[in-house]
Amino acid sequence: MPTTDPSERRATIEDVAEAAGVSVATVSRALRDLPNVATSTRLRVEQFAQQLNYRADPNASRLAAGRSGAVAMAVPVFNSWYFSEIVAGAEAVFADAGYDVLISAIPGPHRRALFVSQTAYQRRADGIIMVDLAMGQGERDVLLRAGVPTVTTGAKSADFPGVIIDNVAVGRTAATHLAGLGHQRIALIAGQNEDPLHFTVPEDRQRGFERELEAREIFFDPSLEAAGNFSVAGGYEAMVGLLKLDHPPTAVFAMSDEMAFGAIQAAREYGLGVPEDLSIMGVDDHDLAAAFGLTTISQQVDHQGPLAARLLLALLDDHQPDELMVEVPTVLVERTTTGPPV
Amino acid sequence: MPTTDPSERRATIEDVAEAAGVSVATVSRALRDLPNVATSTRLRVEQFAQQLNYRADPNASRLAAGRSGAVAMAVPVFNSWYFSEIVAGAEAVFADAGYDVLISAIPGPHRRALFVSQTAYQRRADGIIMVDLAMGQGERDVLLRAGVPTVTTGAKSADFPGVIIDNVAVGRTAATHLAGLGHQRIALIAGQNEDPLHFTVPEDRQRGFERELEAREIFFDPSLEAAGNFSVAGGYEAMVGLLKLDHPPTAVFAMSDEMAFGAIQAAREYGLGVPEDLSIMGVDDHDLAAAFGLTTISQQVDHQGPLAARLLLALLDDHQPDELMVEVPTVLVERTTTGPPV
DNA sequence: ATGAAAGCGCTAACAG
DNA sequence: CTGTTAGCGCTTTCAT
């Protein structure tokens, strides 16, 4: 008869209590470093716990304590440089703090609805980071009512703390750089036309870009705007379209480095020299920006993940963070893909 | 007196039972589609559950049922194209199957020990995917004894099912391509010298590479081997070192596309034309390989994540998968960074 | 087909 | 400083 062999069975808190000759409550306290435990007791408990290879069952403690010990990160997609960088940075901080990290890709409305209802309602995560997923009022309400500490990234939200950059300034910087070089016909490779995710970043960048051109009395021809979908392939396609125009641009501002890379590829295939015949710049300062010699606007992505994580940890520790909105500075990085027009 | 207002409190299974006029056991059965529930009852229960916005507390059900409803993925790092691609592919499959996905970066021995003991021992995940983290005997034993279904990727392991590629063939293909073009002095940009993670992929690729050269009676000069650390920066540095040699190579095989990108950058900065003066090829078929015109060996990374996920799901469903080892084919993708030597 | 009741393993008052 | 005792909310025999 297979009576559960105690050496095979996972040790429970009772096993430890028995071995150490104390109550389970004391074991619980000792192992969690709570006050009111004699040092000698604590030491003894720890010793037996180790010996029995005991670790508290997370599900039991979560149920009893009402916290999950996990945080969730929601991103539009994973396989994109920007998002994987954010996740990597935040994960390291959470892991150090002893939190499990749950991830969820939210590529569309379906997964999105699921995520909000499930994660917010079910007690799977003590807190959430929404990465570049601007929320509608309904979603905000769900999270607020559920009382789930939430931090946002990318999209500014009045309801939640977050780490942001000044995207209007990003657009302005791009226009300033390109116009300063003497360009008059500057194209814009933006995001999608449809925006199911309420993603506000592109509009801000575009606004800053257009306003700066306006201020300089440079006409922004609407036909010079193309959707690049924030992907390499999209940037390529957008550039191809732009190059086919009767009156093509002499410079291009792509809203992300990945789109800029695609644009560079298209330009080269078209036989154009960059920057001799066409200037191209991006946003991000991607790992490979230097390899392409890409002029870009850095947003210090490596800082953003850890910042967001620390913001959430502060919320979880119940002390309001010093600043609810952390703004990461952006800075123009001039390389070799931009120059004066011919 | 803040008596918990039932409309604010999360609905429990008891609330639903009461509303529907049945027992909690019946609610539990009905909501999980278990047999032995009258259709009419099930419908009624479902209706009230929805009305009360009820969803089972995962911690409670996990504790009671002994399963966590989550899977864990461990990767060396996140912010690398290859790993984020694998995670993205697997996450989509797991999410569809209703599993939570926990992630852990294992950059070094410390996090590694933590991961194995905690995740395997504590009941936080029902299964684990170890991505390119070849395990030592000790770790294998821990996982095997804990009985945690585990799937590996990259590093073949006799103890666990996994998805693999033939890395020896990868090395051979590279040597064949470059030697076939007529190169005699071929450099190798490999991984690290120290290998704390028991990562076997590099050795396999190197073995295939050297053997093929040997078969062709081409001498592989050990000074033509450089460590590139599987990063862009590492590839750059490695290439710089190679270029400073008295007798530099005419072709380079980098074990990853990211290292190849760095190498291309270095070569260009050095004033060398690629491939006129120097041929460079990589492994992966990275998103940006086409933008660089990089000749590479595709390993269909987009398939690997979903394959690994499905393997694990099969294990979790308790039916042994059809094949324990899924081998993904590799294929040479010729672009424009390789050509005959001058 | 349904219900009663015994846990799952831990935490958190409350006593002492 | 430590022990007792209720639960946390659900699942799962075992009856009926």
Side-chain angles (χ1 to χ4, degrees):
Chain A
M1 62 240 36
T3 301
T4 350
D5 175 2
S7 72
E8 280 301 345
R9 197 171 47 79
R10 277 172 53 86
T12 72
I13 197 170
E14 277 193 85
D15 299 329
V16 179
E18 196 173 326
V22 295
S23 74
V24 294
T26 301
V27 173
S28 179
R29 291 190 196 103
L31 261 24
R32 285 180 301 148
D33 282 323
L34 294 187
N36 293 329
V37 178
T39 313
S40 60
T41 310
R42 171 161 304 163
L43 256 36
R44 195 151 35 84
V45 169
E46 280 169 353
Q47 184 198 313
F48 281 106
Q50 165 137 31
Q51 187 176 312
L52 293 174
N53 212 329
Y54 168 78
R55 268 184 265 9
D57 182 314
N59 297 124
S61 58
R62 287 167 189 185
L63 175 58
R67 4 180 338 281
S68 74
V71 296
M73 294 191 74
V75 301
V77 294
F78 278 106
N79 43 352
S80 138
W81 178 79
Y82 175 81
F83 296 118
S84 63
E85 201 70 29
I86 299 267
V87 171
E91 192 271 346
V93 172
F94 287 130
D96 278 349
Y99 278 90
D100 281 350
V101 179
L102 280 147
I103 54 169
S104 254
I106 315 239
H110 174 62
R111 293 278 313 264
R112 186 179 189 105
L114 229 59
F115 176 79
V116 170
S117 70
Q118 295 204 344
T119 305
Y121 273 25
Q122 303 197 26
R123 303 175 160 169
R124 308 196 274 183
D126 297 333
I128 301 179
I129 294 187
M130 299 285 280
V131 181
D132 269 16
L133 290 162
M135 292 176 272
Q137 190 57 50
E139 294 173 320
R140 276 200 292 276
D141 286 348
V142 169
L143 291 175
L144 286 170
R145 255 202 310 265
V148 191
T150 301
V151 164
T152 60
T153 274
K156 180 166 356 192
S157 159
D159 298 312
F160 306 104
V163 4
I164 53 173
I165 64 170
D166 185 342
N167 281 299
V168 175
V170 165
R172 221 164 33 221
T173 302
T176 302
H177 175 63
L178 263 12
L181 249 19
H183 293 277
Q184 294 284 323
R185 268 189 87 68
I186 308 179
L188 177 67
I189 298 184
Q192 300 135 285
N193 297 330
E194 281 286 324
D195 190 351
L197 300 182
H198 314 278
F199 187 49
T200 62
V201 173
E203 350 175 324
D204 288 346
R205 290 184 186 168
Q206 177 150 4
R207 193 149 28 125
F209 177 75
E210 291 189 5
R211 285 204 187 144
E212 181 63 32
L213 289 186
E214 210 172 317
R216 292 167 175 262
E217 294 179 346
I218 295 177
F219 171 61
F220 176 57
D221 180 349
S223 69
L224 290 185
E225 180 186 341
N229 202 25
F230 283 93
S231 71
V232 178
Y236 178 90
E237 293 303 335
M239 192 71 244
V240 168
L242 255 14
L243 257 17
K244 283 189 183 148
L245 255 33
D246 287 339
H247 193 13
T250 64
V252 178
F253 168 43
M255 283 191 187
S256 80
D257 283 356
E258 281 167 308
M259 295 194 290
F261 296 150
I264 291 173
Q265 181 190 356
R268 284 189 187 145
E269 288 182 10
Y270 215 77
L272 296 180
V274 177
E276 307 87 72
D277 306 308
L278 181 67
S279 283
I280 297 179
M281 70 180 291
V283 179
D284 276 345
D285 204 14
H286 188 289
D287 269 0
L288 286 167
F292 275 96
L294 183 70
T295 292
T296 187
I297 299 172
S298 165
Q299 56 165 315
Q300 305 187 53
V301 178
D302 55 333
H303 290 186
Q304 295 189 36
L307 281 171
R310 279 193 279 269
L311 225 39
L312 185 54
L313 287 177
L315 254 35
L316 292 175
D317 273 356
D318 229 25
H319 58 65
Q320 288 295 313
D322 309 336
E323 309 178 79
L324 259 40
M325 279 297 168
V326 182
E327 183 172 323
V328 175
T330 57
V331 40
L332 178 69
V333 180
E334 289 193 58
R335 293 202 181 92
T336 58
T337 56
T338 51
V342 276
Chain B
M1 63 266 40
T3 301
T4 350
D5 176 1
S7 71
E8 281 300 346
R9 198 172 47 79
R10 276 173 52 86
T12 73
I13 197 170
E14 277 194 85
D15 300 329
V16 179
E18 196 174 325
V22 295
S23 74
V24 294
T26 300
V27 174
S28 179
R29 291 189 194 104
L31 261 23
R32 283 178 303 146
D33 283 324
L34 294 187
N36 291 330
V37 178
T39 311
S40 61
T41 309
R42 170 160 306 160
L43 255 37
R44 194 150 37 84
V45 169
E46 280 169 352
Q47 183 198 315
F48 280 106
Q50 164 136 29
Q51 188 176 314
L52 294 173
N53 212 330
Y54 168 77
R55 265 179 281 343
D57 181 313
N59 298 125
S61 56
R62 287 168 190 185
L63 174 59
R67 356 176 353 276
S68 74
V71 296
M73 294 191 73
V75 300
V77 295
F78 277 106
N79 43 353
S80 138
W81 177 79
Y82 176 82
F83 296 118
S84 63
E85 200 71 28
I86 299 268
V87 171
E91 193 269 349
V93 173
F94 286 130
D96 278 348
Y99 278 90
D100 280 350
V101 179
L102 249 47
I103 54 169
S104 252
I106 316 242
H110 174 63
R111 293 277 314 264
R112 187 184 188 100
L114 229 59
F115 176 79
V116 171
S117 71
Q118 296 205 340
T119 305
Y121 257 71
Q122 303 197 23
R123 305 177 160 169
R124 306 202 272 186
D126 297 333
I128 300 179
I129 294 187
M130 300 283 281
V131 180
D132 268 15
L133 290 162
M135 293 176 271
Q137 189 58 51
E139 294 173 320
R140 276 199 291 275
D141 286 348
V142 169
L143 291 175
L144 286 169
R145 255 203 309 265
V148 191
T150 303
V151 165
T152 60
T153 275
K156 181 167 352 195
S157 160
D159 297 313
F160 306 105
V163 3
I164 52 172
I165 63 170
D166 184 343
N167 281 299
V168 176
V170 165
R172 219 162 36 219
T173 301
T176 301
H177 175 63
L178 263 12
L181 249 19
H183 292 278
Q184 293 284 324
R185 268 189 87 68
I186 308 178
L188 177 67
I189 298 184
Q192 301 135 287
N193 298 329
E194 282 284 324
D195 189 353
L197 300 181
H198 315 276
F199 187 49
T200 62
V201 172
E203 349 175 325
D204 288 346
R205 290 184 187 168
Q206 177 150 4
R207 193 152 27 133
F209 176 75
E210 291 189 6
R211 284 205 187 144
E212 182 63 30
L213 289 186
E214 210 172 316
R216 291 167 175 262
E217 294 178 348
I218 295 177
F219 172 61
F220 176 57
D221 180 350
S223 68
L224 291 184
E225 181 186 340
N229 201 26
F230 283 94
S231 71
V232 177
Y236 178 91
E237 293 303 336
M239 192 71 246
V240 167
L242 255 13
L243 257 18
K244 283 187 183 147
L245 255 31
D246 287 339
H247 193 12
T250 63
V252 178
F253 167 45
M255 283 192 187
S256 79
D257 282 355
E258 281 167 308
M259 294 193 291
F261 297 151
I264 289 174
Q265 181 190 358
R268 284 189 186 145
E269 287 181 12
Y270 215 79
L272 296 181
V274 177
E276 307 86 73
D277 305 309
L278 180 67
S279 283
I280 298 179
M281 69 179 291
V283 180
D284 275 345
D285 204 15
H286 188 289
D287 269 0
L288 286 167
F292 275 96
L294 183 69
T295 293
T296 187
I297 300 171
S298 165
Q299 57 164 315
Q300 306 187 51
V301 178
D302 54 335
H303 290 186
Q304 294 189 36
L307 281 171
R310 279 192 279 268
L311 224 40
L312 185 54
L313 287 176
L315 253 36
L316 292 174
D317 274 357
D318 230 23
H319 57 66
Q320 286 296 313
D322 309 335
E323 309 178 79
L324 259 39
M325 279 299 169
V326 181
E327 183 172 323
V328 175
T330 58
V331 39
L332 178 69
V333 179
E334 290 194 58
R335 293 203 181 91
T336 57
T337 56
T338 53
V342 276

